[in-house]
């Protein structure tokens, strides 16, 4: 013991004399942050930096691809003066309503079809036919039936967002371990208890995958829906800015849509982590 103390103390005193410290410095903290961010966001940061430099130095046409600082300035200006706020509200109402209808229809129908094979076999061919039919190709049909108002715009978004959540729910139910269901039956659980305690919890992760795909699809179809017969909305602003050659505003609206998509995805991921803590790997 005395030998170990005699060996440790000189090393400690030598560190103090040389100015070394056991506490991490600011530089080491910055290096740690960069080491965690660069593998994930390094390529994106490099792309944005290349865009800025190329446009600023004239390597690409700045009239077509403005510098990022000009785009961000246009975004901030139009948000500050309220020009884009009404468009954001209207677009979120359209996509949010369609997404809510897709959830209300898709999840119960998927849970039902996933449990009854005969029902799935009867409905699967027509669902596959509808799924493979582009919502944009059907948009003129929806306009003929529902007019150019809000109903046709919401319905075309609903049509495109329904199938990801529906098929993900069916797949999640079908992938439930049958041994768990048999075990629950062995212990005397009824059909309702099995559904509530076994099938539904096991299907939730797959359902959230479908929800995230549907949320992304809702924003993608929103652009197409607002480009035809609309006078408000982010998609309308994209087309209107392009017609008037307001290229920074056009890119600002596109960037705003990307931010909304990222926010929707992050919100669903957070909700999934809170509801599916049992499925998260241990840190």
């Amino acid at each position: 013991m005395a030998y170990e103390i005699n060996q440790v103390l000189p090393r400690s005193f030598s560190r103090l004399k040389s100015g070394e410290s056991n506490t991490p410095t600011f530089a080491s903290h910055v290096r740690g942050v960069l080491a965690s961010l660069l593998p994930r966001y390094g390529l994106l940061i490099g792309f944005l930096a290349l865009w800025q430099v190329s446009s600023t130095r004239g390597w690409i046409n700045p009239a077509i691809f403005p510098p990022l600082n000009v785009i961000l300035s246009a975004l901030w200006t139009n948000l500050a003066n309220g020009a884009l706020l009404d468009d954001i509200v209207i677009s979120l109402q359209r996509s949010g309503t369609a997404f809510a209808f897709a959830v209300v229809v898709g999840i119960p129908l998927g849970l039902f079809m996933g449990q009854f094979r005969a029902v799935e076999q009867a409905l699967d061919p027509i669902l596959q036919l509808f799924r493979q039919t582009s919502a944009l190709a059907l948009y003129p049909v929806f306009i003929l039936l529902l007019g150019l108002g809000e109903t046709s715009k919401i319905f075309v978004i609903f049509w495109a967002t329904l199938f990801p959540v529906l098929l993900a729910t069916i797949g999640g139910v079908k992938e439930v371990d049958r041994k768990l269901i048999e075990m629950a039956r062995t212990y005397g659980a009824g059909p309702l208890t099995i559904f509530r305690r076994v099938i539904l919890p096991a299907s939730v992760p797959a359902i959230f995958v479908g929800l995230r795909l549907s949320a992304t699809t809702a924003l993608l179809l929103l652009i197409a829906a607002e480009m035809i017969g609309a006078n408000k909305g982010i998609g309308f602003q994209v087309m209107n800015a392009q017609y008037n050659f307001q290229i920074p505003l056009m890119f600002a609206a596109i960037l705003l849509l990307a931010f909304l998509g990222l926010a929707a995805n992050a919100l669903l991921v957070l909700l999934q982590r809170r509801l599916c803590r049992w499925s998260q790997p241990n840190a």
Side-chain angles (χ1 to χ4, degrees):
M1 183 69 180
Y3 174 76
E4 292 178 356
I5 294 175
N6 291 332
Q7 293 293 322
V8 170
L9 286 178
R11 287 197 297 267
S12 302
F13 284 123
S14 63
R15 290 195 194 100
L16 292 174
K17 290 179 181 179
S18 61
E20 295 181 8
S21 175
N22 292 327
T23 59
T25 63
F26 177 75
S28 64
H29 178 70
V30 172
R31 285 195 298 268
V33 172
L34 292 177
S36 62
L37 290 179
L38 286 180
R40 184 175 179 86
Y41 300 105
L43 187 60
L44 176 61
I45 295 173
F47 169 74
L48 296 177
L50 180 62
W51 184 339
Q52 175 70 21
V53 173
S54 300
S55 181
T56 303
R57 299 202 171 188
W59 299 344
I60 58 177
N61 189 353
I64 305 300
F65 295 99
L68 291 178
N69 64 303
V70 176
I71 296 173
L72 292 175
S73 176
L75 177 61
W76 173 256
T77 300
N78 285 273
L79 287 175
N81 61 23
L84 285 176
L85 294 181
D86 291 339
D87 297 303
I88 294 174
V89 172
I90 292 173
S91 294
L92 289 180
Q93 285 178 348
R94 289 168 179 162
S95 58
T97 303
F99 179 73
F101 278 124
V103 171
V104 170
V105 174
I107 292 180
L109 183 58
L111 292 172
F112 182 74
M113 290 179 62
Q115 293 183 84
F116 299 98
R117 184 172 180 81
V119 177
E120 182 196 358
Q121 289 179 341
L123 294 180
D124 185 69
I126 190 170
L127 287 178
Q128 293 298 331
L129 175 64
F130 288 159
R131 184 175 74 92
Q132 299 301 329
T133 305
S134 172
L136 294 179
L138 292 174
Y139 193 22
V141 179
F142 298 151
I143 292 176
L144 289 175
L145 294 174
L146 304 172
L148 275 172
E150 293 298 307
T151 306
S152 61
K153 294 176 178 58
I154 292 174
F155 195 82
V156 71
I157 300 172
F158 162 77
W159 184 271
T161 55
L162 172 63
F163 297 105
V165 65
L166 173 61
L167 296 177
T169 304
I170 294 174
V173 174
K174 293 174 68 175
E175 291 175 2
V176 176
D177 192 349
R178 296 297 160 184
K179 294 181 180 179
L180 296 176
I181 298 177
E182 293 298 329
M183 184 182 298
R185 288 174 180 166
T186 301
Y187 283 97
L192 184 60
T193 303
I194 292 175
F195 171 78
R196 187 167 55 89
R197 294 295 184 89
V198 179
I199 296 176
L200 185 59
S203 305
V204 168
I207 292 173
F208 267 98
V209 173
L211 291 176
R212 292 169 63 185
L213 291 174
S214 292
T216 302
T217 305
L219 291 174
L220 294 176
L221 265 293
L222 176 69
I223 299 299
E226 291 181 341
M227 286 180 177
I228 302 175
N231 56 10
K232 277 291 184 179
I234 303 176
F236 166 77
Q237 287 296 343
V238 172
M239 291 299 298
N240 187 59
Q242 188 266 333
Y243 287 147
N244 295 301
F245 209 71
Q246 297 174 314
I247 304 303
L249 178 59
M250 182 188 73
F251 276 106
I254 294 172
L255 186 63
L256 180 60
L257 275 170
F259 286 152
L260 292 177
L262 291 173
N265 183 74
L267 182 62
L268 288 172
V269 169
L270 180 62
L271 184 60
Q272 179 181 0
R273 288 177 178 173
R274 292 183 65 88
L275 295 179
C276 306
R277 294 178 181 175
W278 50 269
S279 66
Q280 302 297 322
N282 294 327

